[in-house]
Amino acid sequence: MPPVIAPASAVPSSSAPAAPRAVRAGAWPAAVWALLIGTFAVRAAGFVYPYLAYHLSAREVAAQTTTLILALFGAGWLAGQLVCGVLADRIGRRATLAGAMATAAITFTVLAQSHTVVSLSAASFVAGLVYDSPRPIVSAVIAETVPDEPTRARVAGWRHFATNLGATTTGAVGGALAAPLGFPALFLFNAAVCAVFAFIALKAVSPRAHRTSTAGPSGSYRAAFGDIRLILLWLASVCAFVPVTALFSVLPLMMSEDGLPASAYGWAQAAGAAAVLILSPLMNGWLARRAAGPSPMVGLLAAGAVVLGAGMGSAGFASTPTGYAAAVVLAVPGEIVAFVAAADVLNRISPSHSLGLYAGIGGTALATAVLLAPLLAGWCLATGGHLLVSLALTSCGLAGAAACRPLKALTSPPCPPRTPDSPGAPSAPLWRASSPPTRSSSRTQMPPTGR
């Protein structure tokens, strides 16, 4: 996964930002272009995560300790989504993104040069915190600066395209340069790109980007986790994204048990990446038209989860490189739909004062799936073999679709446009509020997006 709007009007205050300027529907603000390019760059140079295990092995770290350090990275990844999301609301999008990328530049450098288990462990946890930190921050910026739902859906589709193109580049470039240059050099290059992205954030994101001046109940973790819509969306997303992350954790184990070489797994990955790069441009227009409707794309999220589960689940019946590659390709349409639809639902239910927080909580869905998929794979392979893996992944997709049913009931018919929150007036929990504050589907007045 991916990883959400701006207030329709500002509450009168002596510290309120300058009056927002109108943004034409369908337009892509300069900040969004810059952040999408930056997203591609840091993902294309994102060598730290996929090559961390190899780096630790080169440092002669024991296998059991390597597993612990990798778990620390994953724990940091999950926590970083929440931390960066709430900081984006509290101190601003620009400061949070630039600070996170500057921290990444420093931490990745330390990780490249570390030799002791203690320093490697600490650096890995902090690296996990900031590795995917742009996800919630960029989501909040897109929601603030893009004026209508169809355009936001189109941006989400191209963002997913950029992320996958970057990941494909990471594998190709890293595989070619790891032997002649070494893993520390790859990590240092990753650090340099993050430093450049920090500079881009300072130039591209407006210093007047939304930030809350007080930490009232309406912008707290407690209020967000009390929104049953967000919880259901998170649950549906986790169930949908487990099959996505199975490509990196489950598939290699299954192919290895079938006696297939690593090159066969590489071809399966390449087939999936090629399918994403081909289908994303073709599907983005259709998804944007679906986003123009008055209700969130909950039904499409359910459909995407089912296709993902069935597609990756079909790998349980494969035994050849072609069969595994076909399973990955079958899952790709569901992946594209699920990521865009989840972003659309998140955009529409996010309160204007908690865009970053909601995006951060949503971002933990992918991190949670990254942690759950290998655990699920290990249990299934030890208990029932490939057929149980197939059943488990298919069931994940069905569970995600099932979670969408009550979510659709809570988001349809669409809620009325949100009115500005009164200063100091806490919002009631969703189950006690007759019309919970939520974002309207179109806006004409937007916050400034100048450099």
Side-chain angles (χ1 to χ4, degrees), residues 204-232:
V205 182
S206 169
R208 296 167 292 180
H210 173 79
R211 58 178 177 266
T212 51
S213 57
T214 59
S218 60
S220 69
Y221 285 111
R222 182 178 179 181
F225 286 115
D227 188 341
I228 191 64
R229 300 168 302 172
L230 180 60
I231 300 305
L232 288 170

Side-chain angles (χ1 to χ4, degrees), residues 101-114:
M101 288 294 93
T103 301
I106 296 170
T107 306
F108 294 172
T109 301
V110 172
L111 190 60
Q113 303 300 325
S114 296

Side-chain angles (χ1 to χ4, degrees), residues 43 53 78 109 171 173 227 266 278 302-303 325 328 359 398 400 421 424 434 445:
R43 184 58 69 193
L78 195 153
T109 301
V173 174
D227 188 341
I278 292 171
V328 173
L398 294 175
D421 299 304
S434 57
Q445 296 296 317

